[in-house]
Amino acid sequence: MTFRTRYTGLIDKYRDRLPVHDDTRIISLGEGNTPLIRLNNIPGDLGKDVDIYVKYEGLNPTGSFKDRGMTMAVTKAVEEGSKAIICASTGNTSAAAAAYAARAGITAFVLIPDGKIALGKLAQAMIHGAVVIQIKGNFDAGMELVKQVGKEAPVTIVNSINPFRLQGQKTAAFEILEELGAAPDYHCLPVGNAGNISAHWMGYCEYHEHGIVNSRPIMVGYQAAGSAPFMRGEMVDNPETVATAIRIGHPQSWDKAWNVQKESSGWFDECTDEEILAAQKMLTEREGIFCEPASATSLAGAMRDIKSGKIPEGSKVVCTLTGHGLKDPDTAIKQCEGSNKMLKVDATLEEVKKAILDNM
Ligand code: F0G
């Protein structure tokens, strides 16, 4: 029997394609290498002959794709001698920053919109020992403050305006290409700041330019309807959505993302909160995959475009599921309120047996 070598994170794996040196101290939690799962039931439910894969980024160490960028950003911050990092966040970036700072032995400061981040993410930032600064404002306000304070205090900004973040995140595209052996026809992502869609495109283009693959996907970005500046064609001042992770009205990678749309011949669209929650539930009930609401936006949009034929039959589609469902237990439980599958019975054999037989 031969044993595989131990997986030690994406910087180690893609060292030749990332800005690190041989002696760089790598701050890693074994991120990346996430499963690309082929959906078994949903294509049939849609009545369409399409191949849908989900890239389950919720299985990264802190439960979201942010770990890919954070391993790079914190590795470089430490290399440059930084003792503290800072970010504004709708929750996942703060969780990743807190964990990687703990790993590196430096301080993380996180600015989060008061009362508007999912419970799991808040718990993560707190338990890893980050300094949690709750602001009476939304993500966009926090981002502006972080940019200003970054000029006046000795802290490294680890939001996706830090170019090392996108370098790390581009590796998700490498993994998809390696597993499929070619580019998918369409790659669908939820869009907030639009860093991740830009990073994926960088990754796809890099393998294409180096002749490792000979095609690139059409990139499709879906936003929540109440927070859809790319659909409006202008910034949105008071974004609202149940998908708090993408409750962003002033995307930081605005120009980059429009370039992705043009270069890949892709498009942006929006999904209502109802569509997002329905896609989240469908994925859990029909495929056994639990992602957070923002993540389900990619599938919600893709399903609509597959049904309408905008994404034609015969296509191979990848949807990124950016974060784990456990990040936001409140929304999950609310989705199931009134469910006839939540029973309360006496602790007797009779009652338990009845509950089973009545629900077979
Ligand atoms: N999905 C999830 C679960 C996210 O947390 C985010 C962004 C996105 C999608 C959008 O990615 O910004 O690169 O377009 N979350 C950031 C945060 C803003 O602070 O955690 P994007």
Side-chain angles (χ1 to χ4, degrees):
M1 180 174 181
T2 52
F3 292 96
R4 288 201 309 169
T5 38
R6 200 166 71 88
Y7 180 80
T8 48
L10 61 86
I11 298 182
D12 246 357
K13 177 161 184 205
Y14 295 108
R15 181 175 274 286
D16 297 348
R17 299 194 171 276
L18 292 169
V20 286
H21 307 287
D22 287 347
D23 58 354
T24 301
R25 178 184 157 214
I26 309 251
I27 312 297
S28 170
L29 291 165
E31 57 294 308
N33 198 23
T34 55
L36 185 65
I37 306 171
R38 186 161 180 262
L39 298 188
N40 281 341
N41 302 316
I42 289 180
D45 294 347
L46 300 176
K48 293 287 186 179
D49 177 21
V50 282
D51 237 354
I52 309 176
Y53 294 83
V54 292
K55 180 74 169 156
Y56 197 10
E57 291 286 277
L59 293 191
N60 274 296
T62 77
S64 87
F65 73 96
K66 304 286 180 180
D67 296 342
R68 290 184 187 272
M70 206 53 75
T71 184
M72 269 306 304
V74 174
T75 292
K76 294 306 280 186
V78 168
E79 187 173 65
E80 288 158 8
S82 181
K83 297 276 178 280
I85 58 174
I86 189 166
C87 65
S89 181
T90 56
N92 281 323
T93 303
S94 60
Y100 283 80
R103 181 82 165 163
I106 61 174
T107 305
F109 295 96
V110 304
L111 266 74
I112 55 170
D114 186 20
K116 288 287 188 180
I117 83 166
L119 198 63
K121 304 174 188 181
L122 181 61
Q124 287 178 291
M126 291 170 71
I127 198 81
H128 285 301
V131 179
V132 179
I133 305 169
Q134 305 186 67
I135 59 162
K136 295 191 180 84
N138 61 23
F139 169 85
D140 301 309
M143 193 63 239
E144 272 320 300
L145 288 164
V146 162
K147 284 187 195 168
Q148 288 167 21
V149 88
K151 290 188 195 131
E152 300 191 9
V155 290
T156 303
I157 299 174
V158 295
N159 281 103
S160 55
I161 54 170
N162 176 329
F164 298 122
R165 278 275 312 275
L166 300 198
Q167 285 292 320
Q169 286 170 217
K170 76 181 179 186
T171 60
F174 295 166
E175 291 175 13
I176 292 166
L177 293 173
E178 286 161 28
E179 258 186 74
L180 295 180
D185 299 305
Y186 297 86
H187 188 138
C188 306
L189 290 117
V191 168
N193 271 313
N196 207 26
I197 195 168
S198 307
H200 275 78
W201 186 240
M202 271 171 51
Y204 281 124
C205 291
E206 192 171 321
Y207 266 23
H208 185 242
E209 277 156 27
H210 289 88
I212 298 166
V213 291
N214 55 20
S215 61
R216 300 182 300 186
I218 291 171
M219 304 294 291
V220 188
Y222 296 109
Q223 300 209 281
S227 311
F230 285 102
M231 278 306 289
R232 304 284 165 276
E234 60 183 18
M235 302 297 173
V236 169
D237 280 338
N238 293 302
E240 267 316 333
T241 169
V242 68
T244 51
I246 51 172
R247 186 171 165 269
I248 295 171
H250 291 240
Q252 297 299 310
S253 293
W254 180 255
D255 295 338
K256 280 198 185 75
W258 281 115
N259 269 339
V260 174
Q261 182 266 321
K262 276 192 221 103
E263 288 180 18
S264 77
S265 308
W267 65 87
F268 294 109
D269 208 339
E270 61 188 340
C271 301
T272 64
D273 282 1
E274 291 70 31
E275 285 176 303
I276 291 169
L277 292 176
Q280 184 197 25
K281 198 134 194 281
M282 190 165 180
L283 198 56
T284 52
E285 290 186 344
R286 295 291 291 145
E287 303 283 355
I289 301 167
F290 187 23
C291 69
E292 66 171 286
S295 309
T297 310
S298 58
L299 184 67
M303 288 197 299
R304 189 192 324 122
D305 285 336
I306 288 167
K307 271 194 255 175
S308 76
K310 188 168 184 182
I311 294 178
E313 287 200 84
S315 297
K316 192 175 278 187
V317 183
V318 171
C319 294
T320 297
L321 302 180
T322 44
H324 202 288
L326 290 172
K327 292 273 190 176
D328 190 353
D330 297 283
T331 306
I333 290 171
K334 249 186 241 141
Q335 281 244 58
C336 303
E337 257 163 24
S339 157
N340 57 7
K341 289 187 185 162
M342 271 295 281
L343 310 173
K344 215 176 240 181
V345 301
D346 287 337
T348 63
L349 177 60
E350 201 52 32
E351 289 269 309
V352 173
K353 206 165 103 187
K354 183 174 182 308
I356 292 168
L357 296 177
D358 286 353
N359 286 284
M360 289 289 278

